Amino acid sequence: MVGVEVLQAVPATRLSPDDPWVRWAVDSLRHTTGKEPAVLPNLGGTLPNDAFADVLGLPTVWIPHSHPSCSNTPSTNTCWGR
C-alpha cells in the first residue's frame, strides 16, 4: 500500500453565470469572435483562484485557451469531437 500525504490544497471556486461580470465577458467574447462562448461556472482547485474569489471577495472570470471538448490529462490534452 502506498501512503499519500496532502501537503497543500487549493479549494475550487464558483461564480454564478448570472453575475454581471460573466455577462460582460460573454458579450465581449461573442462580439470579438462571432461565436457563442461556453460558460463553465466552476473552477477546479488547480489554480489559486481562491485567493481572489474567497480571500479578497473579487469576482473572477478565467478565459482558457481551449474549447469544451478538451479535457486535460496528466500527460497531455485529449480533445474529442474535432
Side-chain angles (χ1 to χ4, degrees), residues 14-16 19-22 49 52-54 56-62:
R14 183 176 201 288
L15 183 62
S16 170
D19 187 271
W21 283 109
V22 175
N49 191 58
F52 301 101
D54 298 335
L56 297 175
L58 300 172
T60 55
V61 176
W62 291 84

Side-chain angles (χ1 to χ4, degrees), residues 1-2 13 17 22 25 27-29 31-33 37 40 43-44 46 52 54-56 61-62 64 66 70 76:
M1 171 101 27
V2 175
T13 57
V22 175
D27 290 344
S28 177
L29 288 164
H31 177 78
T32 302
T33 66
L40 305 173
L43 183 65
T46 57
F52 301 101
D54 298 335
V55 176
L56 297 175
V61 176
W62 291 84
S66 188
C70 286
T76 186

Side-chain angles (χ1 to χ4, degrees), residues 35-47:
K35 298 179 181 179
E36 188 65 27
V39 175
L40 305 173
N42 297 329
L43 183 65
T46 57
L47 294 173

